[in-house]
Amino acid sequence: MEQALVFASIVLGIGVAFELENLNRVLRSKMVKWHWAQPLFALFVLLTIISYWWAAARNSEGSITLAQFLPIMLALILLVLLAAVSLPDKVDEKGVDLAQYYQDNCRYQWILMSLFFWSVNFRWFAEVWQQGLPFLNFVSVVATDVIAGLLIVAMIFIKRWWMIAIAYCILALGPIVWLGRSLG
């Protein structure tokens, strides 16, 4: 698993580099019309990358097969794509409106986030199911994650800013919980 962790670290480092390069570009431009939604999405992606890497580093004992690594690779690819879209990769002479950027890219970025979320959580759901818990106990263990995943899917379709704001407030609990689990 140590080699897989090194590989994952490199791939996720590339994703963080994309995000930081785009952040630098946006911060340095005088042609950016700021809006809260896209920078919050970028922060959500960064915290997701950190949480995923931290969990992988914590669980890096033993060896894994190529078949076990392929779902991890899928998650890594999705995280790099998320990092790349989290902020505009260019600001031309007309500038960029981050509200418009969000509206133009929200479907793509939330589909990617949904694919990432469900790919990671289906494996976790399977692990919890294999513990042989009674069905209602299983549901109680996975319910908050299922609700978060359904909210992420809903974000693909939500266009009204007030609904986006409420969804972000709810989704903000996820990275806080993930970081709490990882740091604890």
Side-chain angles (χ1 to χ4, degrees), residues 107-135:
R107 179 159 287 170
Y108 174 66
Q109 62 194 23
W110 287 108
I111 286 172
L112 289 174
M113 184 60 77
S114 180
L115 289 171
F116 168 76
F117 180 89
W118 290 106
S119 71
V120 170
N121 279 286
F122 276 136
R123 285 188 296 151
W124 181 68
F125 294 163
E127 290 172 15
V128 173
W129 182 257
Q130 289 174 349
Q131 293 175 3
L133 297 173
F135 182 73

Side-chain angles (χ1 to χ4, degrees), residues 8-168:
S9 298
I10 292 168
V11 173
L12 292 177
I14 290 168
V16 171
F18 281 151
E19 198 165 358
L20 293 177
E21 181 180 357
N22 293 343
L23 175 63
N24 180 54
R25 188 175 293 110
V26 169
L27 288 175
R28 292 178 56 120
S29 175
K30 293 177 176 60
M31 302 300 290
V32 173
K33 184 175 178 188
W34 287 92
H35 188 270
W36 55 268
Q38 198 60 44
L40 279 180
F41 182 79
L43 178 62
F44 186 57
V45 169
L46 182 62
L47 292 175
T48 301
I49 289 171
I50 292 168
S51 297
Y52 186 79
W53 183 86
W54 204 266
R58 190 175 68 188
N59 300 324
S60 64
E61 296 177 16
S63 62
I64 61 172
T65 66
L66 179 60
Q68 291 169 317
F69 182 71
L70 290 178
I72 296 168
M73 189 64 209
L74 171 64
L76 296 173
I77 290 168
L78 292 169
L79 286 171
V80 170
L81 291 174
L82 280 162
V85 74
S86 69
L87 290 167
D89 58 350
K90 59 185 161 207
V91 179
D92 59 24
E93 58 275 345
K94 291 185 280 185
V96 65
D97 178 349
L98 290 181
Q100 189 61 49
Y101 181 86
Y102 179 88
Q103 292 295 342
D104 291 345
N105 291 285
C106 69
R107 179 159 287 170
Y108 174 66
Q109 62 194 23
W110 287 108
I111 286 172
L112 289 174
M113 184 60 77
S114 180
L115 289 171
F116 168 76
F117 180 89
W118 290 106
S119 71
V120 170
N121 279 286
F122 276 136
R123 285 188 296 151
W124 181 68
F125 294 163
E127 290 172 15
V128 173
W129 182 257
Q130 289 174 349
Q131 293 175 3
L133 297 173
F135 182 73
L136 290 178
N137 289 2
F138 170 77
V139 169
S140 70
V141 169
V142 302
T144 54
D145 291 281
V146 170
I147 292 168
L150 293 175
L151 184 55
I152 289 170
V153 170
M155 291 294 281
I156 297 167
F157 307 102
I158 296 174
K159 296 290 186 184
R160 297 179 189 264
W161 292 119
W162 68 270
M163 293 175 82
I164 294 167
I166 290 171
Y168 268 131

